[in-house]
Amino acid sequence: MGNGKEGRLLVLYGSQTFTAQEIAERIWRKTKVLGFRGPVQAMDDYPISRLIHEEFALFVCATTGQGDEPDNMRRFWKFLLRKNLPNNSLMKLKFGVVGLGDSTYSKFNFVGKKLHKRLLQLGATPLLNIALCDYQHDLGHDAVLMPWLGNFFSTLKSYFPNIQTDTMNNSFVPRWKVSLVKTDSCDNQKNVSEDVYYGKGCRDHFLDSTYLELEKNDRTTDESHFQDVRHIIFKTVDGNPLQYSPGDIFNIRPRNSKEDVDDLFGIFETHNIDIKPYHLLSVEEYHDDMPVPDFLKQPLTLYEVAEQYWDLKAYPTQYFFSLLALISEDKLERDKCIELSSPEGQEDWLNYCRRPRRTVLEVLHDFHKSASKLTIEVLFELLSTIKPRSFSIAGSCLKSEGRRIELLIVVVKYYSKLKKARLGLASNWLKNLNVGDRVYGWIKRGTMKFPQDASIPLILIGPGTGLAPFRNLLQERSIQGTASSDTLHLFFGCRYKNKDFHCRQELEGMVDSGELTLYCAFSRDQENKIYVQHKIAENKDVLWNLLNRGGYIFISGNAKNMPDNVRDAFIEDVISEAGGISLEDAKKMLEDMERNNRLQVETW
């Protein structure tokens, strides 16, 4: 069927937070090395009527919410579901599907699985079975993605005999033609604190961003408490009301700290690399199948790009080291990069990067000889883009008449084996915003869907900042006059009653007015630790009665252990012990509830 030089491989992605897009562009680079051509596009940007003419395609798609497709895949998916499509519509197509998911959710990689099945129904032929990537794996998505891609391209070899799959990573192929307009003036550095992603008119085609002003940024935890939790309120600037419901999400794109940006330019200065903050960026199309994104077509300084485009807090992937090896001229460092990027070097990569949370900047300091070969073109391949962060809206739209957004955010700061504190990019940026600062953000439909019928009992489990979506719901029900302690049951957990009991006065006030039944687990206020699952076990008879009345269960909070512990408590204590049902049947009952959306989970 020819060779790689004549091959077309279409790469389409459905992305919620741009991860799928980033992975699709990585795959494009691999295909380019092999000599393929073919565009990389969001599924909704691709003229789907052309799909019947494609011979080879690779789909990368994320799963969102309760098994929903991403926004920029919806039109594509809706078209594929049309009943009038013949079952041989895609008989010419040979394909692969990469699913990006999170195994803490019951509908793990649901979208990828649905897409794979539908393509089969329309007559397409899979080159491989679907890749089910799991964000929770120690190696992240790459644990499944990297070996799967190797097999995918090996399979393609039967159609394109000239493919040399063992030389895939031996060439550096930039996505765009990137250069600098170098001036002697520092005037271009003015106004760098303004939002350039949205402020200069750039829009992601599936996002409707809103201009907001910070009204409140208060610490809610006691000063002696180890954790800084922020109650943040944004207000609309134009006065136009926003529309959102309990469970909905506020998305925002954070920026790097001045310290990290200065560190990056310090690396350039140390190695006499002529890249200055005030140099202007020029990005042009290199390949007709890799268009320049709108944002990079804007007139930008390098400081703006470093502050608002590159993620300087990211930890480098194995892919990062494979690229660094291509530019390194130091044998020792190059060999180490090759080792850290190899399947055999995964454990070393975990110990060096993932477990201590070493950032890209720290790696560039460690691999200083390789860093001395950095160019602006290389930087655009090495550094990933800042991805939007999602936060549950913690206040009712009715309370502010849609003119405010409330958030409840943990400021991420912890220590690994490295001496310097690990700081979360978004939370620390938000912490340091001042009243009056203006930012762009956008609202998205949340994963949780609360029943409209206020007579249905709701069991809400929200330890820590998992309280956020439930506070939104409780406020709304209170304003509507439908809040009742008979139907609203909230399990809240924290360490200390007097240090990190978020919104205590408000919640206790609802209890006093008969609007809420509240169960609190303060884990460190006594010798034996008490968590929300223990409170669930203590109140198993009450909860079994609520479930028999058609009650729903909602779980919100940290994904590490809490969701599984809560599930176990419902299976073993509530359904089996209080309900007198066998453990096997109790587990099946909870699974059925989750399948029917009577159990919903939102974790991070």
Side-chain angles (χ1 to χ4, degrees):
M1 186 173 284
N3 56 49
K5 295 296 181 184
E6 302 169 352
R8 173 180 167 88
L9 176 63
L10 174 69
V11 182
L12 298 180
Y13 62 84
S15 190
Q16 195 60 30
T17 59
F18 301 90
T19 301
Q21 178 179 347
E22 204 166 82
I23 288 175
E25 290 177 353
R26 279 172 51 182
I27 292 170
W28 169 88
R29 178 183 169 271
K30 292 178 180 293
T31 65
K32 210 67 182 175
V33 170
L34 296 174
F36 282 97
R37 57 184 173 82
V40 175
Q41 288 181 285
M43 292 187 196
D44 281 356
D45 288 343
Y46 174 74
I48 192 169
S49 59
R50 296 182 189 172
L51 196 60
I52 60 172
H53 303 296
E54 301 285 359
E55 287 191 74
F56 298 92
L58 202 159
F59 303 87
V60 184
C61 52
T63 295
T64 71
Q66 306 297 322
D68 302 321
E69 63 275 3
D71 292 345
N72 60 351
M73 178 183 167
R74 287 182 176 171
R75 289 199 306 272
F76 181 92
W77 180 239
K78 186 177 180 181
F79 183 91
L80 281 188
L81 289 180
R82 287 168 55 171
K83 292 181 179 179
N84 62 347
L85 291 178
N87 59 11
N88 63 351
S89 300
L90 300 179
M91 60 184 301
K92 186 178 180 181
L93 182 69
K94 289 161 279 293
F95 73 94
V97 174
V98 174
L100 306 180
D102 184 328
S103 58
T104 60
Y105 287 85
S106 63
K107 295 184 178 178
F108 172 59
N109 267 313
F110 195 58
V111 172
K113 293 172 183 176
K114 286 194 300 183
L115 176 61
H116 191 272
K117 183 177 179 180
R118 184 56 178 156
L119 292 171
L120 290 175
Q121 291 172 345
L122 294 174
T125 302
L127 292 170
L128 283 182
N129 199 5
I130 182 174
L132 299 175
C133 302
D134 185 5
Y135 177 75
Q136 294 297 327
H137 195 283
D138 277 349
L139 296 171
H141 295 132
D142 281 355
V144 170
L145 178 65
M146 299 312 289
W148 187 91
L149 281 177
N151 291 333
F152 181 81
F153 287 115
S154 293
T155 304
L156 272 182
K157 189 175 176 64
S158 62
Y159 298 93
F160 300 93
N162 291 346
I163 287 179
Q164 299 297 319
T165 55
D166 57 343
T167 61
M168 283 172 51
N169 290 318
N170 289 345
S171 300
F172 178 77
V173 179
R175 287 170 291 177
W176 310 297
K177 184 179 180 181
V178 185
S179 58
L180 296 174
V181 179
K182 300 176 180 179
T183 66
D184 295 328
S185 171
C186 298
D187 291 343
N188 293 326
Q189 278 189 267
K190 62 185 179 182
N191 296 327
V192 290
S193 63
E194 294 179 358
D195 188 302
V196 297
Y197 197 92
Y198 298 114
K200 292 194 176 183
C202 178
R203 295 290 183 270
D204 299 305
H205 75 276
F206 56 93
L207 305 178
D208 184 15
S209 58
T210 303
Y211 202 28
L212 300 163
E213 182 178 301
L214 185 70
E215 183 176 84
K216 178 179 179 180
N217 190 348
D218 291 347
R219 177 173 174 141
T220 68
T221 48
D222 189 83
E223 290 295 333
S224 65
H225 190 56
F226 82 102
Q227 197 173 59
D228 182 356
V229 176
R230 295 274 155 170
H231 181 206
I232 294 175
I233 301 178
F234 291 104
K235 64 180 180 181
T236 56
V237 173
D238 56 16
N240 293 327
L242 304 169
Q243 295 294 325
Y244 56 89
S245 303
D248 283 355
I249 303 296
F250 180 70
N251 288 304
I252 196 164
R253 190 188 299 273
R255 306 180 204 170
N256 291 304
S257 66
K258 184 177 184 301
E259 178 187 13
D260 284 342
V261 174
D262 289 345
D263 189 13
L264 177 65
F265 286 105
I267 291 172
F268 301 153
E269 188 174 348
T270 298
H271 297 298
N272 295 314
I273 300 171
D274 192 15
I275 299 177
K276 300 292 192 294
Y278 51 83
H279 285 163
L280 292 172
L281 181 71
S282 172
V283 183
E284 301 173 85
E285 193 174 278
Y286 227 153
H287 314 274
D288 57 8
D289 54 5
M290 178 56 70
V292 176
D294 288 343
F295 171 62
L296 295 177
K297 294 177 183 177
Q298 309 292 318
L300 302 172
T301 65
L302 251 293
Y303 192 99
E304 289 172 324
V305 173
E307 184 194 51
Q308 301 185 38
Y309 186 72
W310 290 326
D311 189 346
L312 303 182
K313 278 276 187 274
Y315 60 80
T317 61
Q318 288 193 287
Y319 177 70
F320 174 98
F321 287 101
S322 70
L323 293 178
L324 196 60
L326 295 180
I327 66 164
S328 181
E329 295 179 2
D330 179 82
K331 185 179 186 307
L332 190 63
E333 289 191 5
R334 185 175 63 250
D335 289 348
K336 188 62 178 176
C337 285
I338 293 171
E339 179 187 341
L340 289 170
S341 66
S342 69
E344 299 77 22
Q346 286 180 346
E347 189 64 27
D348 287 339
W349 173 80
L350 281 170
N351 290 330
Y352 175 63
C353 286
R354 182 79 182 243
R355 289 175 179 137
R357 295 296 193 266
R358 191 174 256 106
T359 69
V360 291
L361 291 176
E362 289 167 332
V363 169
L364 291 178
H365 281 292
D366 286 353
F367 288 78
H368 60 281
K369 292 180 181 178
S370 302
S372 69
K373 304 302 176 184
L374 290 172
T375 65
I376 187 62
E377 209 166 51
V378 169
L379 284 165
F380 268 91
E381 304 306 316
L382 273 183
L383 301 178
S384 59
T385 58
I386 293 175
K387 297 171 183 62
R389 300 323 200 252
S390 299
F391 300 96
S392 293
I393 300 176
S396 170
C397 184
L398 300 181
K399 179 184 174 184
S400 68
E401 297 181 334
R403 288 179 170 81
R404 283 173 179 78
I405 295 283
E406 294 190 52
L407 306 177
L408 200 60
I409 294 172
V410 175
V411 179
V412 177
K413 179 181 179 180
Y414 62 95
Y415 290 87
S416 66
K417 69 178 184 180
L418 303 176
K419 292 181 180 179
K420 189 177 179 181
R422 307 292 95 185
L423 303 176
L425 175 60
S427 61
N428 282 275
W429 173 68
L430 286 166
K431 171 190 172 181
N432 291 316
L433 289 179
N434 297 311
V435 172
D437 285 347
R438 294 186 172 189
V439 300
Y440 285 89
W442 63 97
I443 293 166
K444 176 168 173 56
R445 185 71 186 271
T447 61
M448 289 186 171
K449 310 293 191 297
F450 297 104
Q452 294 298 308
D453 186 349
S455 68
I456 296 175
L458 303 181
I459 303 165
L460 314 171
I461 298 100
T465 55
L467 172 66
F470 303 142
R471 181 174 184 259
N472 188 338
L473 173 74
L474 295 175
Q475 285 185 355
E476 180 152 306
R477 291 285 178 90
S478 181
I479 292 168
Q480 291 172 335
T482 59
S484 167
S485 59
D486 180 51
T487 54
L488 296 175
H489 293 253
L490 172 65
F491 287 79
F492 174 77
C494 63
R495 291 197 174 195
Y496 304 99
K497 182 176 183 178
N498 295 322
K499 290 187 178 182
D500 56 334
F501 188 169
H502 311 313
C503 309
R504 175 180 177 179
Q505 187 175 357
E506 182 179 346
L507 295 175
E508 291 180 341
M510 291 190 71
V511 172
D512 293 340
S513 62
E515 295 179 302
L516 174 69
T517 298
L518 180 63
Y519 312 81
C520 291
F522 305 114
S523 63
R524 310 299 170 89
D525 274 343
Q526 61 287 309
E527 188 175 346
N528 296 322
K529 294 178 183 176
I530 297 175
Y531 297 112
V532 286
Q533 62 264 28
H534 300 128
K535 290 295 179 180
I536 289 169
E538 283 178 20
N539 295 278
K540 57 183 182 293
D541 293 324
V542 173
L543 296 177
W544 174 245
N545 179 52
L546 294 175
L547 294 183
N548 276 331
R549 289 167 52 194
Y552 281 56
I553 303 169
F554 294 88
I555 304 171
S556 171
N558 189 288
K560 190 175 182 182
N561 297 313
M562 183 272 296
D564 286 341
N565 291 336
V566 167
R567 278 190 175 96
D568 289 345
F570 272 99
I571 292 170
E572 296 168 12
D573 300 299
V574 178
I575 302 174
S576 182
E577 189 172 334
I581 296 174
S582 70
L583 280 175
E584 185 177 343
D585 288 340
K587 184 177 180 181
K588 184 178 184 300
M589 177 179 168
L590 200 69
E591 289 172 350
D592 289 341
M593 286 183 63
E594 194 157 12
R595 197 174 299 111
N596 296 319
N597 286 332
R598 281 185 60 202
L599 167 60
Q600 297 179 35
V601 181
E602 180 181 278
T603 57
W604 52 86

